[in-house]
Amino acid sequence: MEHIELFFKSIFIDNMVFATFLGMCSYLAVSKKVTTAVGLGAAVIFVLAITVPLNWLLDQFILQPGALSWLGAEYADYDLSFLSFIMFIATIATMVQLVEIIVEKFSPSLYNSLGIFLPLIAVNCAILGGSLFMQSREIATLGLATTYGIGSGIGWFLAILAIAAIREKIRYSNVPAPLRGLGITFIITGLMAIGFMSFGGMLTGGDEEGEALEDKSAQIETVQDKSTTNEIANNTKVID
Amino acid sequence: MGKDTKLILDPLADNNPITIQVLGICSALAITAELEASIVMSISVLFVLGVGNVVISLMRNIIPSKIRIIVQLIVVATLVIIVDLVLKAFAYELSKTLSVFVGLIITNCIIMGRFEAFALGNGPWRSFLDGIGNSLGYAVILIIVGFFRELLGSGTLLGIKILGDPVAKTGLYAFGYENNGFMLLSPMALIVVGIIIWVQRSRNKALIED
């Protein structure tokens, strides 16, 4: 249950792109065609699914205050958490190199179409962000960390797939010239992010603050329900 | 205009890292709900990019090109750790607000982008100017976005109540003005940047795509 909750939470509510703006650079740069977007999205899922659990292990057994106690009692006081940035980014850079080798061997066409962007996954904020959020949200077990990694990856994948599809269609629309390209993409992303915020009411339970918020939103929802039923009633009258 | 002045002035408008080069978007959007956070973030990037560009430029002839990304990451990570520790020591509350986004300066594409595009091919002094110029260009956008989001969203600037007190109904609020809480939510940052791009490209037609 915990796993399912975290999984959906990381896909929709804490969506990497729409809630935290991570990985925006490659999100904007590689979303001109659906096929390349799918390739990059898949690579991000893969890298996140590996690096988040790996960095979780690093965090638990090396970096946290007192994490070195498995080496012996005299190491129990060490706090290496200031090294997390370097450790995380080194793990990520290595894993990305590995993915690059694998993709080059098994799918040369994907390798060619991803081009320069594959090495740039190393500097994709979504990857490092996944590990840093995993650390700051204090995810409890290795299994949950894996779920979190995969979920965040799928969330990013969905986001880039959606924007790539929209950008392919919008080429045929008459956008004001100064907004063409980057500008309209920003505004669409903003609107999509507003849409994704509506997933916020999907989860129940959690901390007290969350419950208080939910009470309010529940009230708002009931009010909205009433107004929508009224509207529907009015509409049907009009149709009649 | 001299070459060196051009290095600093170009990124401020016509070659802006955010609106033209599309670098460093993530942090630009996530932390701009308050002006203070935007300013601190800009200063951090200014430090990291200025020093990092000089270091990479000094080492540019001894870095093997195959492992240059890892070398660059280590340089940036070291500088970011310094920034993070300084922030934690002198501005603890603020470092909580910025949370992981200080760490994410490491993967801020501005930094890697300028290392790759400039510092690897130019001398230390020019690289330093380029670093300063680009981080100032980044700062301009951050401060504009932060300014509008804080002013319209909570009616304050740097925490000072500019528009009066919303609870006691003084200043503008006496006339029925309300804060637009929507501006504080993250999607509005995207739309504000979109509008900045719109304005900029309407003024300078040469920048229009397609």
Side-chain angles (χ1 to χ4, degrees):
Chain A
M1 192 53 218
E2 234 181 327
H3 283 269
I4 299 172
E5 190 181 320
L6 186 69
F7 184 67
F8 283 103
K9 194 166 177 244
S10 49
I11 293 183
F12 293 111
I13 300 167
D14 291 331
N15 185 289
M16 279 281 181
V17 174
F18 297 129
T20 47
F21 298 121
L22 295 181
M24 281 303 257
C25 307
S26 29
Y27 168 84
L28 292 168
V30 195
S31 61
K32 281 185 184 134
K33 275 172 67 189
V34 171
T35 42
T36 30
V38 168
L40 186 70
V44 166
I45 297 181
F46 184 66
V47 175
L48 265 177
I50 295 173
T51 53
V52 173
L54 262 181
N55 283 336
W56 185 86
L57 289 174
L58 276 180
D59 189 42
Q60 290 290 312
F61 294 109
I62 296 178
L63 296 171
Q64 273 184 4
L68 284 174
S69 53
W70 56 272
L71 273 179
E74 66 270 34
Y75 293 100
D77 298 339
Y78 281 66
D79 175 5
L80 296 180
S81 51
F82 68 94
L83 281 177
S84 10
F85 294 154
I86 275 199
M87 294 287 269
F88 286 178
I89 202 71
T91 320
I92 289 167
T94 326
M95 289 319 297
V96 167
Q97 204 80 57
L98 196 68
V99 171
E100 198 182 347
I101 295 168
I102 293 173
V103 171
E104 191 180 9
K105 182 145 173 65
F106 290 106
S107 171
S109 60
L110 179 62
Y111 181 79
N112 288 333
S113 64
L114 286 179
I116 183 181
F117 291 108
L118 206 52
L120 283 184
I121 288 187
V123 287
N124 186 332
C125 344
I127 311 285
L128 182 64
S131 293
L132 289 176
F133 273 126
M134 175 272 299
Q135 191 189 32
S136 73
R137 286 175 190 166
E138 293 168 357
I139 286 180
T141 66
L142 182 62
L144 281 177
T146 320
T147 314
Y148 179 71
I150 296 175
S152 313
I154 294 178
W156 200 88
F157 176 83
L158 281 181
I160 195 168
L161 186 62
I163 193 74
I166 293 178
R167 285 182 81 171
E168 279 199 358
K169 292 287 174 210
I170 211 163
R171 219 172 292 154
Y172 307 109
S173 316
N174 189 14
V175 179
L179 264 182
R180 252 172 233 161
L182 190 60
I184 195 74
T185 315
F186 264 100
I187 291 177
I188 293 171
T189 312
L191 296 177
M192 284 163 79
I194 294 172
F196 261 69
M197 281 170 64
S198 60
F199 286 116
M202 206 169 70
L203 280 189
T204 49
D207 50 343
E208 280 177 20
E209 204 183 10
E211 276 168 15
L213 272 178
E214 269 152 29
D215 284 345
K216 272 184 198 167
S217 56
Q219 284 173 0
I220 294 168
E221 267 166 31
T222 45
V223 173
Q224 278 175 342
D225 280 348
K226 275 180 195 166
S227 57
T228 42
T229 40
N230 284 343
E231 268 172 35
I232 293 167
N234 289 339
N235 288 343
T236 42
K237 269 178 204 166
V238 171
I239 293 166
D240 285 345
Chain B
M1 196 160 55
K3 260 189 179 173
D4 288 354
T5 9
K6 207 167 149 52
L7 279 179
I8 291 216
L9 291 182
D10 245 16
L12 286 183
D14 290 348
N15 196 17
N16 190 285
I18 293 183
T19 60
I20 310 295
Q21 303 175 41
V22 205
L23 296 174
I25 315 279
C26 330
S27 52
L29 300 171
I31 44 87
T32 47
E34 288 165 9
L35 189 55
E36 194 185 5
S38 327
I39 293 174
V40 171
M41 191 69 183
S42 311
I43 295 172
S44 315
V45 171
L46 186 83
F47 169 75
V48 175
L49 190 53
V51 179
N53 249 357
V54 172
V55 172
I56 291 291
S57 164
L58 286 174
M59 299 201 302
R60 69 184 186 279
N61 294 326
I62 51 169
I63 303 176
S65 75
K66 275 194 176 164
I67 59 158
R68 66 179 193 284
I69 290 194
I70 294 180
V71 174
Q72 289 164 2
L73 284 174
I74 299 294
V75 171
V76 190
T78 317
L79 291 168
V80 169
I81 289 175
I82 297 174
V83 169
D84 189 43
L85 292 178
V86 169
L87 276 183
K88 273 188 184 144
F90 294 104
Y92 188 73
E93 288 303 312
L94 205 61
S95 77
K96 280 284 166 216
T97 326
L98 293 174
S99 73
V100 299
F101 290 99
V102 176
L104 288 174
I105 297 179
I106 300 175
T107 52
N108 192 323
C109 337
I110 286 191
I111 315 251
M112 296 298 280
R114 292 329 291 174
F115 283 2
E116 285 281 306
F118 202 89
L120 279 177
N122 288 283
W125 173 240
R126 282 170 60 80
S127 301
F128 178 69
L129 290 179
D130 180 76
I132 299 294
N134 274 286
S135 37
L136 285 178
Y138 173 82
V140 166
I141 302 291
L142 244 74
I143 288 170
I144 295 176
V145 178
F147 177 84
F148 282 110
R149 284 182 74 191
E150 191 176 345
L151 185 67
L152 299 176
S154 40
T156 57
L157 280 180
L158 295 172
I160 303 162
K161 292 183 175 123
I162 300 267
L163 302 178
D165 196 325
V167 183
K169 299 281 176 213
T170 56
L172 257 184
Y173 296 99
F175 303 105
Y177 175 81
E178 291 282 341
N179 282 329
N180 181 1
F182 207 54
M183 290 300 285
L184 294 178
L185 299 176
S186 39
M188 284 313 285
L190 283 162
I191 294 180
V192 173
V193 176
I195 293 171
I196 293 175
I197 293 176
W198 192 357
V199 171
Q200 190 187 10
R201 295 190 183 183
S202 315
R203 289 167 55 91
N204 188 347
K205 303 278 185 207
L207 300 174
I208 294 174
E209 287 176 42
D210 293 332

